[in-house]
Amino acid sequence: MAAHDPRRAQQHATRAAFFIPGFTIATWAPLVPYAKLRAGLDEAGLGLVLLCLGMGSLLAMPMAGALAGRQGCRRVMLASTAVMVACLPLLALVSDPLLLGLVLLALGAAMGAMDCTMNIQAVVVEREAGRPMMSGFHAFYSVGSLAGALLATLLLGSGRGPLATTLAVAALVALLCAGAAGAWRPDRAPPGARMFAVPRGVVAVVGTVCFVSFLAEGAMLDWSAVYLHEVREVDVARAGWGFVAFNVAMTLTRLLGDGVIARVGSAPTVACGGLLAAAGLALVVLAPDLRASLAGHALLGIGCANIVPVMFSLAGRQTRMPVHLAIPAVTTLGYAGVLAGPALIGFVAQGASLAAALLAVAFALAAAALLGARVATRPGAA
């Protein structure tokens, strides 16, 4: 491929598009304690305010697909990035709980719109490349998340306040957007095309598989440290290493995932990945010590890594629904797993035990992987 080929520029720009929301949202994590103190929130109040972030994303995702269909991916991603850049300093300034919730609602909406639209772009770029690329794109979200968390933590730890930290991150995001936006896709849906549709057929199945995979990710984010500390009696200072092992393993596997998918195929990748993830989560629950549990977290990350990218690629290749409708549907269903999953686990844990709840997720992962692999074996999916 020639160096001036626009497809190469679009591939790099798509990686940047995935990096931006991961980099942005990771900055918010170390700012939460500052915002809690500044707004005078207790734990219950903070929980309600944090809910605004997810609500914004879920509300924006279906609308983002319609906007991308009418205006093109580039305009929607530019607008989403602009809102993210504007919201970051506000998170370091607002002290009223209501205003903080509104800023998080706007940030969540921008994140959701960006998440949906960048996947539409990724589907088109991957299709034109003629080879698997989705895992590599999704890996850059994780790379951005790790980079954002590291940068924000280092800046705050060196004495820079929340405002200086958010301004620095916002400036970097703006620079990255300026360099990438020229290669973001301007394509629009044909005139008269539908802008909203309920997911059906293969799209509904793909969305269900993504829901389960994201549910497992949410379980690791919200319940991993709790399980290690309260059930396995790991010291609270070391309980967070489980999620670190999961996250690093997932990121590295996604960076290598496109080659694996090209070599062995979509269906075996999903089936083996899901079964490996289920075994890893079972090991997390049943492991006799921290070392074995960390190995289980890593196996879970390796197994889950390529399920969602393969599902998004399938959503882009199916013919039951247009891409600008299918991707928002899959994204919304998947993200619902991140939001609703941890709460569902909490309800099951309250009625039975946390171990039983996590084992139920492991079983769901295995079932979803077999379902996803069956969809991937249909004609036209390879």
Side-chain angles (χ1 to χ4, degrees):
M1 186 181 294
H4 63 274
D5 192 323
R7 288 178 295 179
R8 181 65 60 86
Q10 288 173 10
Q11 292 164 16
H12 291 317
T14 305
R15 295 183 184 101
F18 276 79
F19 183 94
I20 285 171
F23 188 67
T24 301
I25 197 61
T27 307
W28 165 238
L31 292 175
V32 173
Y34 294 89
K36 182 175 183 290
L37 288 172
R38 193 169 56 250
L41 294 167
D42 57 16
E43 280 71 17
L46 179 63
L48 288 175
V49 168
L50 292 177
L51 188 62
C52 294
L53 190 68
M55 287 176 58
S57 291
L58 282 179
L59 290 172
M61 283 174 179
M63 292 186 290
L67 286 172
R70 289 196 175 99
Q71 302 296 327
C73 291
R74 179 188 295 162
R75 289 185 177 182
V76 178
M77 290 196 287
L78 277 170
S80 300
T81 304
V83 173
M84 284 186 257
V85 168
C87 286
L88 276 171
L90 293 176
L91 292 174
L93 291 173
V94 295
S95 57
D96 180 77
L98 178 59
L99 288 177
L100 180 60
L102 291 175
V103 173
L104 286 174
L105 188 72
L107 178 62
M111 294 283 299
M114 187 72 172
D115 196 313
C116 173
T117 313
M118 70 192 187
N119 275 292
I120 295 175
Q121 157 126 351
V123 164
V124 178
V125 170
E126 181 186 54
R127 182 189 301 154
E128 292 188 353
R131 58 187 174 88
M133 300 193 73
M134 192 65 73
S135 289
F137 292 148
H138 280 252
F140 270 81
Y141 183 97
S142 300
V143 172
S145 181
L146 292 173
L150 180 62
L151 177 61
T153 302
L154 288 174
L155 288 174
L156 292 169
S158 65
R160 273 71 171 178
L163 181 58
T165 298
T166 54
L167 287 173
V169 172
L172 289 172
V173 168
L175 286 173
L176 187 58
C177 176
W184 286 345
R185 305 276 305 199
D187 315 52
R188 303 183 186 186
R194 296 176 64 189
M195 292 294 114
F196 295 97
V198 176
R200 60 185 184 274
V202 66
V203 177
V205 175
V206 166
T208 301
V209 175
C210 288
F211 176 91
V212 175
S213 184
F214 278 123
L215 187 154
E217 292 185 37
M220 289 299 96
L221 177 64
D222 291 310
W223 289 105
S224 168
V226 174
Y227 182 81
L228 289 177
H229 175 59
E230 295 186 358
V231 179
R232 289 300 175 191
E233 299 181 346
V234 173
D235 182 75
V236 68
R238 297 192 298 156
W241 282 108
F243 182 70
V244 172
F246 167 80
N247 201 3
V248 170
M250 172 174 278
T251 302
L252 293 176
T253 305
R254 280 184 171 169
L255 287 170
L256 302 172
D258 293 325
V260 173
I261 295 167
R263 192 171 297 113
V264 306
S266 297
T269 299
V270 172
C272 295
L275 295 175
L276 181 64
L281 186 50
L283 180 59
V284 169
V285 175
L286 304 173
D289 54 39
L290 179 60
R291 183 177 299 178
S293 181
L294 292 179
H297 282 84
L299 289 175
L300 177 60
I302 293 169
C304 282
N306 293 315
I307 295 175
V308 168
V310 168
M311 290 297 106
F312 272 102
S313 293
L314 292 180
R317 291 198 296 268
Q318 54 78 40
T319 57
R320 187 74 182 271
M321 294 174 64
V323 170
H324 73 277
L325 297 178
I327 296 300
V330 171
T331 305
T332 304
L333 281 170
Y335 199 79
V338 176
L339 294 178
L344 291 173
I345 291 171
F347 287 129
V348 175
Q350 185 70 26
S353 69
L354 184 53
L358 294 176
L359 287 174
V361 175
F363 178 81
L365 268 173
L370 296 177
L371 179 63
R374 183 174 181 180
V375 172
T377 58
R378 291 184 177 182

